[in-house]
Amino acid sequence: MLTSTLLLSNQLPTLQYSSTPERFDETWEAPLATLLGLGRAAGADFIELFLERRNYISCLAEDDSITSISPSLSTGAGVRVFRGKADCYVSTNDLSFSGLKAALEKGLSILGLQLPTPKAFIPEINLELLRDYATKRGKDAWLPVCSSIREMGEVLLDGTANLKQKASHVQSRRATYFRDWQEVLIASSDGTFARDIRLTQSVGFNLLCADGANRASIGERAGNTSDANFLRTWDSQQAAEKIAESAGKMLYADYVESGTYPIIMANHFGGVIFHEACGHLLETTQIERNTTPFADKKGEKIAHESLTAWDEGRSENAFGTIDMDDEGMPAQRTLLIEKGVLKNFLADRTGSARTGHPRTGSGRRQNYTFAAASRMRNTYIDSGEYSIDDLFTSVDKGIYCKKMGGGSVGATGQFNFSVDEAYLIENGKITKPLKGAILIGEAKEIMNKISMCSQDLEIAPGFCGSVSGSIYTTVGQPHIKVDSITVGGR
Amino acid sequence: MPNINEIANSAKDNADKLGIKKFDIYGSTVDDTSVQVDQGEPKQVKASNRSGVTVRVWNEDNTMGVTSTTDVDPKGLELALKTAYEASFFGVKENVPDFSPEATAPIANKPQDKTPQAPVAELIERLLVAEKELLAAHPAIKGVPYNGLSQRDIDRFYLNSDGAVRTESHSLASVYLYSKTEEEGKKPRSAGAFRINHSLDNLDINGCIKETADKTISHLNYEKIKTGKYRVVFSPEAFLSLLGGFSNLFNAQSILDNQSLSTADDLGKEIASPLLWVFDDALHPANVGAESFDGEGTPTRQVSLIENGVLTSFLHSAGTAKRFNTQPTGNASIGAKVSVSPNFYHVFSTATPEEELSLETAENVIFIDDLQALHAGVKALQGSFSLPFDGWLVNKGVKTSIESATVAGDFLEVLKSIIYVEKEPELTPGGVCPKIWVNELSITGE
């Protein structure tokens, strides 16, 4: 055990640490503090160690059989070293002291730093008392409470049976579930020392219906963090009804006629419009790359005055909820836009250092193979003052985008996203189903065209891909009206 | 970190120790380094040395379970085998996956071995030069927001309790550059390019710089395009993106799952223009990432998918091949439910077209260079797509960049509407392919 901060460099190979192998607890303080000290002694400006353990399982039911049960176990660590403006990220599967030291040495050497001479003193970094969000909230008990393999199978088969009952012209029925249990420990040379457990679960349906040449495929997914009983509380009957109804309507839908339309976008997953058109562009990662038109607009009006938007990590059990980010900072509630005026950006540690915007607990990553970057958590447009009727009656001819697919935003601020379920609006009324629509636009322009927000905010789970991998996020909004947008179709 | 042979031996020892009689294991280790730069400075260097294995275990009732793990020390492997054994009791009862009948077949052409990795300082230096040259290519190019130069060593193995043992190693180096313009009173424009090869020394960085610069500059003068129907020319990369988006056409597992645009009876059916030939050819000489065996140990090979427009075969795992009464094709990934995917497309034509077409002489055709948002705009089970794209309106060789437009259609109709397959193939990350001309598609602009 390390007993003194007066450690000599040549003593490192003889050190014996006894960290708890099955749990990230206080026993990791000494080896991590030593490694951080070693990095600082070598000349690094800042070092961060991210340790991760994951227990993942997915289950797939197809028609009336369970066709896949796939457990996956992983452990790994990422070492990030900063020197001046440059930084280096090294990842490894080896969590032994020598394995972590080898990764640190590689990171140091890449940045041109040399290990101290054998007789040099290695200062131990004084880490804070372990901030243990897992113990504080009883998260260590979560994993054993989660559904067993047998229970997963029963729930999913019950789900596909419900689909069979509710839908017509069914070609294939699928129910999918995954449970992702993740334990993380973060220690950095500024004294950060924090642990957390995240439990993310998702369950959903994919339904393919076909009648001659007419085909409709629809998916629907529910997601949750922090509730070990989530799968037991999933209402598969209601979910089956909803997806069967959507598929039935879209099976015989006409292709949308392309053009420029006013649109009304439903709440829930409709929030993907804000996620793509604006959310990504408020990440400091985008400021660093000069790929956001909003970089110098803080305090200025960038959106219609009807629009207020938040990004936060604290919504109870929402898919993007985190107690702390992947840099050990407590998650906070961040006001992004207030009545059209840009208030804040989303900043991780590096983004904050490089752009000057304060950290917001937004440093996130898919796993230990990625360095953290500024990423969204639960992101939504806040409720407005209008009723849904107000929105519809304001549209003579337009499109109701009831269910959104995925989307993306490019380096110039151009965004796009697809619509899985759409309807024509004529004289304020929904008249017929439409398919094949994709919406494209430019962030700067569209934000001023979101002119009406109703009062029915709802959020929905989603997966967000960016520089630090694929992460769990929430999108959300009330029903909104976009005055005009380009709709691609046939 | 244990090496690939140690992992393989340890996994086998653990299986024996646990009394697991039937198992197979696929694993890999990856050692990679990548660098990024920003305005003349190194931005981030990433290095990773990671391993992972997937084990499949058959129990006494011959049902199968699977587990993946990155814990490749003996304890981690033991836990993975135990977990797979426990999961095996919940495995499928019908059509249980089994060893590939070709897992011990000899492999004739093994791809080349690893090449030495270059020092990180050299990677940074070369990328800094590339960024500098790109910024100097035109005054409007103000940044290269996305860039990267990487090198990677990959070791893979497959073994099973029937004595199959396969290992292979190879190296890859790749570069991508994506530049962005800023001009007073104009919208920012961007474009990028990518190159891959076995080693840094053989990597065509200059070609990547030139392609990125040429494309970015060509988008400076842009215009809206009128919505309507246009003759469309797909770049090799765009066509292969679309083909990849609808790869369920050739996927035997998707067909068995009723998740395909094809059915088992479609072999021999004309699904495309007679001009079109499509092979999946993992061992094509241009495939620098070629792998000689798949996740089940089956040797990879050339598979003819479309000949003269006729659907000729599907891509198979060991399990789908058995159910189709044919041979596996080397396209499987190991798993509880074995998935099938293409390796490397080779698209070409042997037919003589009715007329030679050229972008130098054609009038008002849309040349689509890059399709975007395929994850959102491709409806793989419906056959339809609606996608934003980067491209140009080409009129007698004069290219005008198109601002913000989408292309939409039905993929099966696209295959039938191919009117010309150019002769010169180009190498892309997904395969080799020439430009493909399609008679008419819906374009949405203004």
Side-chain angles (χ1 to χ4, degrees):
Chain A
M1 284 289 292
L2 188 67
T3 54
S4 163
T5 56
L6 298 177
L7 176 68
L8 283 170
S9 182
N10 59 7
Q11 294 173 307
L12 284 172
T14 63
L15 289 176
Q16 295 290 322
Y17 291 110
S18 53
S19 310
T20 313
E22 295 84 17
R23 192 170 187 273
F24 295 144
D25 57 17
E26 291 85 352
T27 60
W28 286 81
E29 181 182 356
L32 299 184
T34 300
L35 290 168
L36 293 169
L38 178 63
R40 291 285 283 134
D45 295 328
F46 181 83
I47 305 115
E48 177 198 76
L49 301 168
F50 175 83
L51 276 61
E52 180 190 39
R53 178 178 289 117
R54 221 160 185 137
N55 184 324
Y56 177 95
I57 189 164
S58 64
C59 184
L60 169 68
E62 293 178 279
D63 299 330
D64 299 308
S65 304
I66 297 296
T67 55
S68 174
I69 303 265
S70 298
S72 175
L73 310 165
S74 64
T75 53
V79 182
R80 195 167 191 185
V81 182
F82 288 80
R83 185 192 189 200
K85 286 184 177 178
D87 73 288
C88 174
Y89 190 77
V90 178
S91 58
T92 177
N93 295 135
D94 190 347
L95 293 197
S96 67
F97 181 76
S98 60
L100 292 171
K101 181 167 164 280
L104 173 65
E105 282 182 27
K106 185 164 188 176
L108 293 169
S109 69
I110 285 171
L111 291 181
L113 296 172
Q114 304 219 331
L115 288 177
T117 57
K119 292 195 175 174
F121 287 114
I122 307 298
E124 184 183 3
I125 298 294
N126 292 314
L127 297 175
E128 64 178 318
L129 283 175
L130 181 65
R131 255 184 301 126
D132 189 344
Y133 294 93
T135 302
K136 194 174 161 190
R137 293 193 51 194
K139 299 178 182 182
D140 289 294
W142 279 350
L143 188 56
V145 179
C146 288
S147 298
S148 65
I149 292 177
R150 183 179 300 280
E151 188 175 9
M152 287 173 209
E154 286 168 358
V155 171
L156 295 195
L157 287 175
D158 193 40
T160 55
N162 284 330
L163 275 184
K164 190 177 187 177
Q165 195 186 15
K166 307 286 180 195
S168 58
H169 302 291
V170 175
Q171 181 160 322
S172 72
R173 296 168 278 135
R174 284 183 165 189
T176 58
Y177 165 77
F178 77 77
R179 182 212 68 215
D180 188 2
W181 180 94
Q182 180 201 34
E183 181 186 16
V184 297
L185 184 71
I186 295 138
S188 50
S189 57
D190 66 353
T192 299
F193 190 42
R195 169 183 185 251
D196 199 6
I197 285 175
R198 289 86 176 254
L199 175 67
T200 311
Q201 295 175 86
S202 178
V203 62
F205 284 133
N206 285 291
L207 177 63
L208 173 62
C209 295
D211 182 12
N214 296 304
R215 285 179 159 224
S217 60
I218 292 274
E220 179 75 31
R221 178 165 283 283
N224 178 280
T225 62
S226 316
D227 179 5
N229 286 301
F230 165 69
L231 189 59
R232 298 180 187 109
T233 58
W234 179 52
D235 188 341
S236 72
Q237 198 152 351
Q238 189 185 49
E241 263 171 36
K242 195 172 160 189
I243 193 172
E245 185 186 350
S246 292
K249 286 183 175 163
M250 298 315 294
L251 185 57
Y252 304 106
D254 291 335
Y255 281 99
V256 69
E257 190 181 323
S258 59
T260 301
Y261 296 91
I263 60 166
I264 293 172
M265 193 169 290
N267 56 2
H268 203 243
F269 200 68
V272 72
I273 187 174
F274 185 78
H275 180 100
E276 299 298 351
C278 189
H280 276 295
L281 302 174
L282 301 183
E283 296 163 346
T284 49
T285 308
Q286 307 285 340
I287 300 178
E288 287 181 61
R289 292 174 190 271
N290 192 25
T291 49
T292 171
F294 302 130
D296 55 352
K297 304 293 184 201
K298 191 166 175 179
E300 293 183 26
K301 187 172 173 299
I302 64 162
H304 196 279
E305 56 270 19
S306 69
L307 193 144
T308 293
W310 295 86
D311 179 280
E312 47 86 17
R314 306 189 309 194
S315 285
E316 188 70 17
N317 294 1
F319 210 48
T321 292
I322 46 174
D323 275 334
M324 69 169 193
D325 71 2
D326 290 326
E327 296 178 322
M329 182 177 176
Q332 60 168 229
R333 194 159 186 251
T334 309
L335 179 61
L336 298 175
I337 295 170
E338 185 176 37
K339 294 180 179 171
V341 176
L342 177 58
K343 291 292 188 182
N344 286 294
F345 288 91
L346 298 173
D348 62 324
R349 183 191 297 277
T350 320
S352 176
R354 288 177 176 157
T355 68
H357 294 289
R359 288 173 71 192
T360 52
S362 304
R364 302 188 64 192
R365 58 185 114 198
Q366 179 179 329
N367 57 37
Y368 69 91
T369 64
F370 293 89
S374 57
R375 303 291 296 274
M376 285 176 271
R377 299 158 297 188
N378 303 309
T379 315
Y380 55 86
I381 297 175
D382 215 343
S383 288
E385 59 188 10
Y386 296 97
S387 69
I388 298 176
D389 280 350
D390 291 337
L391 270 59
F392 274 92
T393 52
S394 72
V395 176
D396 289 335
K397 185 179 181 188
I399 294 172
Y400 177 42
C401 302
K402 186 176 178 187
K403 184 166 169 38
M404 303 302 298
S408 63
V409 62
T412 61
Q414 276 203 345
F415 66 84
N416 57 74
F417 40 98
S418 67
V419 190
D420 283 350
E421 186 179 352
Y423 298 88
L424 185 65
I425 305 171
E426 292 174 296
N427 300 318
K429 305 281 183 206
I430 289 173
T431 54
K432 66 171 188 174
L434 298 169
K435 66 182 174 187
I438 191 155
L439 311 181
I440 58 172
E442 216 162 314
K444 265 168 80 173
E445 291 172 2
I446 207 72
M447 295 308 295
N448 282 296
K449 292 179 178 173
I450 300 176
S451 62
M452 297 172 83
C453 297
S454 69
Q455 301 150 354
D456 56 346
L457 167 66
E458 273 193 40
I459 59 174
F463 302 86
C464 173
S466 186
V467 290
S468 59
S470 176
I471 58 171
Y472 308 122
T473 57
T474 294
V475 298
Q477 64 176 33
H479 276 77
I480 62 166
K481 179 190 174 190
V482 181
D483 290 339
S484 70
I485 191 167
T486 301
V487 180
R490 295 197 196 174
Chain B
M1 180 77 68
N3 66 34
I4 201 77
N5 291 321
E6 289 166 342
I7 294 170
N9 290 334
S10 175
K12 192 172 180 313
D13 291 346
N14 268 296
D16 291 342
K17 192 175 87 181
L18 292 167
I20 294 171
K21 294 193 170 53
K22 183 172 179 179
F23 63 90
D24 67 354
I25 305 168
Y26 174 86
S28 64
T29 66
V30 177
D31 182 358
D32 64 5
T33 310
S34 64
V35 301
Q36 296 172 54
V37 300
D38 182 28
Q39 302 289 338
E41 299 277 349
K43 184 172 167 62
Q44 186 178 74
V45 178
K46 283 182 79 171
S48 173
N49 190 350
R50 58 188 187 275
S51 304
V53 300
T54 301
V55 300
R56 296 193 297 187
V57 170
W58 284 258
N59 62 27
E60 298 73 20
D61 300 329
N62 200 39
T63 56
M64 187 271 288
V66 63
T67 296
S68 301
T69 184
T70 61
D71 291 337
V72 291
D73 61 11
K75 270 188 142 184
L77 292 168
E78 184 181 346
L79 178 61
L81 284 157
K82 279 181 179 169
T83 308
Y85 182 73
E86 286 164 15
S88 69
F89 293 97
F90 300 93
V92 291
K93 304 279 190 294
E94 294 175 3
N95 301 308
V96 181
D98 205 343
F99 295 158
S100 166
E102 298 189 17
T104 52
I107 292 176
N109 300 313
K110 274 198 102 175
Q112 68 178 64
D113 279 342
K114 288 188 279 193
T115 53
Q117 292 209 349
V120 172
E122 188 179 342
L123 298 181
I124 293 171
E125 185 55 35
R126 292 214 192 184
L127 194 57
L128 284 170
V129 169
E131 186 197 39
K132 193 175 172 186
E133 288 187 16
L134 205 40
L135 289 170
H138 194 282
I141 298 179
K142 298 294 189 201
V144 190
Y146 296 96
N147 61 70
L149 181 57
S150 67
Q151 56 187 1
R152 168 178 294 193
D153 285 348
I154 302 160
D155 297 274
R156 313 164 60 233
F157 76 88
Y158 171 85
L159 62 85
N160 69 28
S161 52
D162 272 3
V165 181
R166 299 196 188 284
T167 60
E168 96 182 343
S169 305
H170 62 275
S171 300
L172 295 173
S174 63
V175 60
Y176 70 92
L177 299 166
Y178 193 85
S179 61
K180 184 184 157 194
T181 68
E182 283 172 30
E183 285 186 306
E184 188 67 31
K186 286 194 160 188
K187 293 182 177 178
R189 307 291 283 167
S190 60
F194 174 82
R195 293 289 189 280
I196 188 167
N197 214 317
H198 295 292
S199 67
L200 185 64
D201 287 342
N202 295 324
L203 192 62
D204 181 15
I205 299 176
N206 288 333
C208 192
I209 296 168
K210 186 172 184 326
E211 186 182 338
T212 304
D214 288 350
K215 278 188 187 174
T216 310
I217 293 164
S218 76
H219 287 304
L220 284 173
N221 295 314
Y222 55 87
E223 286 181 17
K224 289 261 188 198
I225 189 163
K226 294 273 181 215
T227 296
K229 305 268 189 188
Y230 291 83
R231 178 166 287 187
V232 167
V233 182
F234 286 102
S235 73
E237 191 161 353
F239 185 75
L240 289 181
S241 297
L242 211 50
L243 191 65
F246 293 97
S247 63
N248 67 42
L249 264 174
F250 315 116
N251 187 320
Q253 186 62 57
S254 299
I255 292 166
L256 291 169
D257 293 343
N258 285 322
Q259 297 274 318
S260 173
L261 297 174
S262 301
T263 69
D265 298 331
D266 284 345
L267 288 181
K269 194 169 145 187
E270 187 170 298
I271 64 162
S273 154
L275 298 172
L276 189 71
W277 287 59
V278 178
F279 285 179
D280 179 66
D281 190 357
L283 303 176
H284 191 285
N287 184 12
V288 296
E291 293 177 339
S292 65
F293 58 91
D294 71 5
E296 295 183 312
T298 303
T300 54
R301 66 201 68 184
Q302 183 187 78
V303 185
S304 167
L305 300 171
I306 296 175
E307 292 182 19
N308 286 121
V310 175
L311 185 64
T312 47
S313 53
F314 299 128
L315 302 176
H316 286 285
S317 64
T320 63
K322 192 174 176 187
R323 294 173 71 183
F324 278 74
N325 195 25
T326 185
Q327 292 302 306
T329 55
N331 293 87
S333 300
I334 197 169
K337 176 168 180 169
V338 176
S339 61
V340 175
S341 57
N343 289 316
F344 189 80
Y345 285 121
H346 179 197
V347 177
F348 61 102
S349 183
T350 61
T352 306
E354 285 180 13
E355 60 172 328
E356 299 274 340
L357 300 172
S358 165
L359 286 171
E360 294 302 313
T361 54
E363 295 181 24
N364 292 322
V365 298
I366 305 283
F367 179 25
I368 293 179
D369 182 49
D370 184 32
L371 292 166
Q372 297 155 7
L374 282 110
H375 67 288
V378 164
K379 303 297 176 197
L381 300 180
Q382 298 175 23
S384 62
F385 62 90
S386 181
L387 298 164
F389 68 90
D390 281 342
W392 304 269
L393 177 67
V394 185
N395 195 16
K396 295 181 181 173
V398 178
K399 296 198 316 187
T400 306
S401 177
I402 296 168
E403 186 210 348
S404 194
T406 65
V407 58
D410 178 278
F411 187 65
L412 292 174
E413 285 174 22
V414 167
L415 290 180
K416 293 247 176 173
S417 306
I418 291 171
I419 52 171
Y420 187 52
V421 177
E422 292 199 4
K423 293 184 181 65
E424 289 300 319
E426 291 177 31
L427 174 63
T428 81
V432 287
C433 179
K435 293 187 186 78
I436 306 285
W437 290 60
V438 173
N439 191 35
E440 193 177 79
L441 277 170
S442 294
I443 302 289
T444 301
E446 65 172 1

